[in-house]
Amino acid sequence: MIKRIFADTKRCNGCRICELRCSFEHDRVFGTKLSRIRIIMNEEKGEYRPNTCRLCYKCIKACPENAISKNEKTGAIKIDHELCTGCGKCVEACPFNVMFLHPIKEKAITCDLCEGDPQCVKYCPEKVLFYTTSQEFKKLTS
Amino acid sequence: MNKSKFPYKGYCGKIIEVDLTEEKVEKKDLEVEVAEQYIGGRGLAIRYLIKNLKPKIDPLGEENILVISTGPLTGTLAPSSARYTIATKSPLTGVIGYANSGGHFAPELKYAGYDAIIIKGKAKSPKYLLIQDEKVSIEDASHLWGKDTWETDKILKSEYESSNLQILSIGQAGENKVLYAAIMNNLSRAAARTGVGAVMGSKNLKAIAVSGSGFVEVHNPEEFIEFTNKTLEKIYADPAYPSLSDYGTSFLVDLAYLGGGLATNNNQFGVFDLYDGISAETFYEKYKVKSDSCFACPIHCGKYSRVEEGKYAGIEGGSPEYESIVCLGSKCGIGDLATIIYANDLCNRYGLDTISLGDTVAFAMEAYEKGVLTKKDTDGIDLTWGNQDALIELIHKIAKREGFGDLLADGTKIASEKINEGSEEYALHVKGMEPPAYDVRTAKAFGLGWATANRGADHLSALPNFELLGYPKEKGIEWFGSEKAVDPYAWESKARMTVWHENFGAVVDSAEMCKYTCFSAYAVKPDDMTKFLSYATGMELTEEKIMEIGERIYNLERLFNEREGKAKNSDYLPKRFTEEPLPSGPAKGQVVELDKMLKEYYEIREWVKGAPKKEKLKELGIEQFATKKEDEK
């Protein structure tokens, strides 16, 4: 069974430490718009929803350069930046708005599951994020 | 993205200078010397203001300047470092004014590429400042004028839907120049104190909206992240962590109650009969919904709350903090959290400092109790202690400066001078600013800290939590040379404790880290801060060097006050705290032994009656800012 990142959204407090861990892991700098996980914020309601790749693979089909593939080990999306032209077709195709163009490199980026050790999950202070199977997640939060 | 050639990492190296009179925006380089000598944030702000503001200007006039500044850690993973300072000459006190806030605004400004924003002049009509990476513009805000901070936030976000704006704004209170108007961001985060919102209003500046797509780079990423992880472990292991994390600052209501310092009825008492109605447990059980964190904060003391029943059912939003619970609650004799949550919500929307607001209402209630004010003066409002409707009605009137509210909109000092009839005796303020929640007769270092704070009665200037945390005597000896240091009722050794906290506090505010990380768990001490700043910036720093920076900032703020003629003999406490013993409870009989502590304090600081000696200024390298005789007149 494939493991994905799940969030117990009710408890997310919007600290966005996950976004910073992500940008640091991938670029060694700190910037929320470099992050592959993004918190959708509704401050009026105090509701914060971590949003990242669900592994639906629609981007693979959408890429005209065959730059996107599946990581055999983790099932994560793999993007070859040598081939990626930054055309944005995958961004349009993503139903969850979790494919982005890197603001500096101008190449497509999305969650790569940190080779099976997602840093956002590891450092979430509220333990809101889980890297697990959908069945396990259901058990954990029911 | 253009990264500047600034020699130190952590900084953007750029500041925005806006002249609202000329409708001009300029981008300037951050001075290297300012970063080296003042770090950023609060330090950067005082350095800019003392150099660029003439003494004796009208705080609400065109000449005043607002400085909004971040620190080199802002935008990074350093715990709780996403803060900013807004500084100006305060219209409430006439001395240095500054306020500090968290939320998500400050990192966004860094990601847009700027360390600070300087606002000068006065716009002819309502404006807002729009910053989208390199693009900075002054925009028309006539459609926002008259709107509250929540409406303003919503409208601006809808106008720029795709750009994830972070917004700070004033509400009607700032527009109407209520002298303790706040600047709000993220709906419930307040740069509350010293009337910074009134200055923004006087400039016809409604809001600043920013979005940034860049990043902050640190000098040594590997050391930086490793040290961050180590510090997180310390924070999580601290015994106070669960309280702050689960209950938020409401747990301090209980701490104050246990020590007999739960400020009640304008500080006439330290024991509150209706304590159960505002206790941490009541908050947790009945009103807390969840945590609501500032950016990059592992503590997340902020809470989101909702009123489920009664006449305020359905009111929800960022929770009142401890300070707001006491100032809007027990100080006014009000023991009902639903009312306090609603009052706090109104203050957030109007953009009001809950501390000064609550204190001013409490002052009016005491004047009413003593018969100095009657219904004839109060537009018919019954100001009996505990009257919840009176508090709510007054918030509306103060924000709009309507009727009796107009008098209270100037704060306790000015109101008492107008009311007269002995009301000055119980008009509680230091340097013109109303005091925070804790009754300092039960926490003596806090008492001294209120008196010596450069911006007026202020718990955050020193925040000497050390005396409250129940540490063993040995720790008192180790840190401040006396076992009395861990006894909140004792005055001995508190001068030394206060100076240390004030100096390090100035460093913390300049790095823009939250004081809860530094002064609650003491998880970041000066040697830790040295590491954070070194790894982030690449500067060669030592513990001694950063403590000297703190002392430099503190003295420079004091010089700002001195040239306004308000440094000498200005470190006082209201007589209520020094001459009226607490009448009941665990701290019965306690007063603040201010004179004894102040004498020691001045010796340590090398100040004369509150003014720094020339030699001290020389030692700190700020003799060029020494007060000239003609300035003081």
Side-chain angles (χ1 to χ4, degrees), chain A residues 10 12-17 20-21 24 28-30 32-33 41 43-46 48 103-104 123 125-126, chain B residues 75-77 104 108 111 157 186 212-213 215-216 221-222 229 232 236 290-293 296 300 304 316:
Chain A
K10 275 196 190 117
C12 174
N13 64 37
C15 74
R16 299 166 79 190
I17 284 174
L20 291 178
R21 287 286 171 181
F24 186 80
R28 280 323 198 228
V29 296
F30 301 103
T32 50
K33 294 200 177 84
M41 320 230 343
E43 290 171 313
E44 214 173 315
K45 291 279 163 198
Y48 306 106
I104 320 297
Y123 288 104
E126 295 263 46
Chain B
T76 74
L77 262 175
H104 299 261
E108 199 71 24
Y111 300 151
K157 278 183 178 152
N186 300 99
S213 60
F215 56 86
V216 176
E222 303 317 316
N229 292 342
L232 284 174
Y236 293 143
K290 64 196 289 272
S291 289
D292 194 347
S293 181
H300 47 84
Y304 190 92
E316 57 184 2

Side-chain angles (χ1 to χ4, degrees), chain B residues 394-583:
Chain B
L394 281 178
I395 293 173
H396 291 296
K397 278 175 167 285
I398 288 168
K400 295 174 187 162
R401 279 192 177 272
E402 269 174 17
F404 180 57
D406 188 40
L407 175 76
L408 300 187
D410 288 337
T412 52
K413 179 171 184 281
I414 294 174
S416 73
E417 285 162 6
K418 286 184 182 158
I419 295 167
N420 231 315
E421 296 186 56
S423 66
E424 293 90 339
E425 289 289 308
Y426 49 86
L428 308 182
H429 65 85
V430 179
K431 302 180 178 71
M433 187 158 85
E434 295 75 13
Y438 225 84
D439 192 310
V440 290
R441 284 168 287 190
T442 66
K444 305 298 167 64
F446 272 89
L448 177 61
W450 282 9
T452 57
N454 287 319
R455 65 171 179 170
D458 177 13
H459 60 301
L460 294 166
S461 171
L463 202 70
N465 284 334
F466 190 93
E467 68 174 344
L468 296 178
L469 292 172
Y471 286 141
K473 286 175 181 173
E474 296 73 38
K475 193 158 176 168
I477 295 168
E478 186 199 335
W479 279 53
F480 299 108
S482 166
E483 58 183 45
K484 301 270 191 192
V486 299
D487 174 3
Y489 297 164
W491 68 270
E492 294 90 344
S493 79
K494 299 300 171 69
R496 193 171 150 191
M497 181 185 295
T498 300
V499 172
W500 184 90
H501 281 78
E502 285 173 342
N503 287 350
F504 184 45
V507 174
V508 174
D509 284 343
S510 302
E512 292 297 348
M513 193 176 265
C514 179
K515 291 217 174 88
Y516 271 130
T517 294
C518 302
F519 293 164
S520 163
Y522 290 88
V524 173
K525 297 194 277 294
D527 58 329
D528 307 300
M529 182 60 89
T530 307
K531 289 194 180 101
F532 269 123
L533 288 172
S534 306
Y535 298 151
T537 66
M539 282 183 203
E540 281 185 29
L541 293 166
T542 59
E543 196 179 328
E544 292 71 34
K545 222 162 161 176
I546 69 161
M547 288 306 277
E548 189 186 84
I549 289 174
E551 195 181 3
R552 179 177 303 121
I553 293 164
Y554 213 83
N555 277 269
L556 202 58
E557 289 172 346
R558 187 50 64 128
L559 288 181
F560 187 99
N561 293 1
E562 190 183 24
R563 65 182 199 176
E564 299 292 340
K566 291 175 175 173
K568 282 194 185 118
N569 303 314
S570 297
D571 300 324
Y572 58 84
L573 283 178
K575 281 185 193 157
R576 176 144 294 165
F577 300 103
T578 55
E579 291 177 20
E580 291 178 31
L582 272 166

